[in-house]
Amino acid sequence: MRVDILGVPVDRLTIDQTVQRVTELVGAGRPARVITLNPEYLYRGVTDDKALLELVHRADLVTADGEGIVWAGRVAGKPFPERVTGIDLMLALVQQAAQEGWRVFLLGAAPGVAEEAAENLRRQYPGLQVAGTYHGYFKQDEETAVAERVREAEPQVLFAALGAPKQERWIDQYIESIGPVVAMGVGGSLDVIAGRVTRAPRWMQSLRVEWLGRLVMEPSRWRRILVLPRFAWLVQRYYRLARRNR
Ligand code: UDP
């Protein structure tokens, strides 16, 4: 079941159901794209860069990341069962990978971070097979070689932490050449897993103000927050018009 948020389809699934769907995609043995959609990405797509929306339409699975998307689901009259963020989904998938014997590839973040993240994940999820790691600061003319490296490692799941929307563009461009892999962008998750950045405390997450915590810890994010009221305005207008035209 999907809901239309500002013209793009977003899946209405719990995190467990999302893991189930990814398991089916891995079983299908073909390239598959997963996008955890947040308001900043969608706002940019709608107002400025339509190609970003194309990527969402092409995705096999789109999750409601960010409170702004969850709120938009309520405005649309089709609430999401819960928020499915990049890091939460990644950790749930890593657990599944350890159980199922899938090989995972960690791509992105500063040199050394993906290796540290891999070490922590292996410790936390015994039996996890990390097919490979590579940092995210390669030049444009190295992109093909990086994709080749991932292909040779033959992972079932690829986590790309290059920041949005770079990671979504990269995945879209190279996934067919990599082959049967489920690929998803995970933003700053490798930094968190490696212990380089701390996530906002749980009480903040449950009060739905994780964004506020991130703002306090990384003040440079304030520009992104400014998008939220504009996004909210677009959503209100979109559904008011939709109701009027019904
Ligand atoms: N990053 C990268 N290559 C780049 C730019 C960024 O690997 O060319 C990494 C960066 O080190 C960080 C992640 O991408 O680990 C972006 O984190 P952020 O929390 O900003 O993700 P976003 O919220 O933008 O998706």
Side-chain angles (χ1 to χ4, degrees), residues 38 40 107-110 113 135-138 161-168 186-191 214 218 221 224:
N38 65 30
E40 297 100 283
L107 172 67
V113 174
H135 69 84
Y137 289 86
F138 45 86
L162 307 171
K166 187 174 179 181
Q167 59 203 17
E168 283 76 18
V186 292
S189 301
L190 294 186
D191 295 318
R214 287 192 88 176
E218 298 171 66
R221 298 183 85 90
R224 297 183 176 199

Side-chain angles (χ1 to χ4, degrees), residues 33-141:
R33 300 155 166 86
V34 179
I35 292 186
T36 64
L37 185 69
N38 65 30
E40 297 100 283
Y41 181 103
L42 183 51
Y43 183 81
R44 191 162 157 189
V46 170
T47 58
D48 177 48
D49 188 351
K50 296 275 183 281
L52 295 184
L53 303 182
E54 294 297 311
L55 300 186
V56 182
H57 281 284
R58 272 210 287 284
D60 297 84
L61 199 50
V62 182
T63 78
D65 190 352
E67 286 305 333
I69 302 287
V70 171
W71 169 81
R74 285 199 296 273
V75 177
K78 291 180 180 162
F80 292 100
E82 64 182 331
R83 189 164 73 118
V84 180
T85 66
I87 180 130
D88 290 331
L89 181 57
M90 177 176 174
L91 292 175
L93 287 175
V94 165
Q95 184 173 15
Q96 183 81 346
Q99 279 166 18
E100 301 274 336
W102 303 336
R103 295 155 58 78
V104 304
F105 197 105
L106 309 182
L107 172 67
V113 174
E115 289 76 10
E116 277 172 38
E119 219 165 282
N120 288 346
L121 288 175
R122 274 198 218 99
R123 205 171 308 130
Q124 205 175 338
Y125 302 97
L128 176 71
Q129 294 186 57
V130 179
T133 54
Y134 199 68
H135 69 84
Y137 289 86
F138 45 86
K139 298 195 195 76
Q140 209 170 350
D141 60 4

